[in-house]
Amino acid sequence: MFSTGYIILIVVSTVIGFGAQAYVNSQIKKYSNVPSSWGLTGVQAGQNMLAYNGVQGVPFHRGGESEDHFDPRNNSITLDPHAYSQPSITAIATACHEVGHACQFAQGYGPMKFRSALVPVVNFASNAWMIALLAGIFMNLAGLIDLAIILYAFAVLFQLVTLPVEFNASHRAMQYLEAAGLPQGERAGAFSVLRACALTYVAAALVSALQLLWLIGQRR
């Protein structure tokens, strides 16, 4: 089952993944060295965006390197050291993107609620699909292989649902930056950072979809 086609899939997936990550790293690094005319750190810009949207009770935490996320479990935002304390375009774009997620949560944004509902299923499926696949191959049981495909399909669905959630958070960030009067040139830099970050989610979804199509093709 692990044929030349699968090896090609692995190579293509690796190229897509490394290419997307290299691009996002280059954009983040580029605009980390460009200060914002606002003179605000990521946290300060994020707090202003929360106030602009009337969202309260969302604390900011200083995380580790590249640790940027919104946690709906405790309604908090974690930013990496640069985004937390530096007044750069990357810091502002990153913080406002995470605030976009906080606004989604506060407003009951549908795709975010759907993604959150998928988390328990996906956590199980992500660990179980390969076990079911290997067991199906070695025991020559088509039913287990079909189960593996179904489980993996949930992981792919999660990746696909993640796309509109991430795109919308970036859209909210850009809308705020424009409304708050960030100069056009600086907004262009912020958009470059957010577009690059979005590419990593697109790449992950594409790789997962290719993997699923390969699995389905092998079953046939």
Side-chain angles (χ1 to χ4, degrees), residues 58-64 66-80 94-95 97-99 101-102 115 166 201:
V58 182
F60 286 83
H61 303 298
R62 185 187 181 100
S66 300
E67 188 180 0
D68 303 297
H69 65 271
F70 168 74
D71 190 341
R73 294 171 298 180
N74 56 17
N75 194 30
S76 69
I77 293 172
T78 298
L79 298 175
D80 77 1
T94 301
H97 173 86
E98 299 307 333
V99 169
H101 287 309
R115 185 178 70 168
E166 295 299 327
Y201 292 99

Side-chain angles (χ1 to χ4, degrees), residues 86-198:
Q86 296 299 312
S88 71
I89 297 300
T90 290
I92 288 176
T94 301
C96 289
H97 173 86
E98 299 307 333
V99 169
H101 287 309
C103 293
Q104 291 173 339
F105 182 72
Q107 296 166 9
Y109 181 60
M112 171 178 264
K113 293 172 66 175
F114 182 46
R115 185 178 70 168
S116 295
L118 285 175
V119 169
V121 178
V122 172
N123 286 340
F124 171 77
S126 296
N127 295 319
W129 80 271
M130 181 59 76
I131 296 174
L133 177 64
L134 293 176
I137 293 172
F138 290 122
M139 298 172 66
N140 196 28
L141 294 176
L144 282 177
I145 297 175
D146 289 340
L147 176 61
I149 292 173
I150 293 171
L151 290 173
Y152 191 73
F154 278 105
V156 175
L157 176 61
F158 183 81
Q159 297 275 11
L160 294 176
V161 172
T162 293
L163 294 180
V165 175
E166 295 299 327
F167 293 161
N168 179 262
S170 291
H171 179 67
R172 290 169 185 256
M174 293 306 303
Q175 278 190 320
Y176 167 71
L177 294 177
E178 181 177 5
L182 188 70
Q184 194 279 330
E186 295 179 31
R187 292 203 310 273
F191 179 74
S192 294
V193 171
L194 296 179
R195 178 180 57 193
C197 291

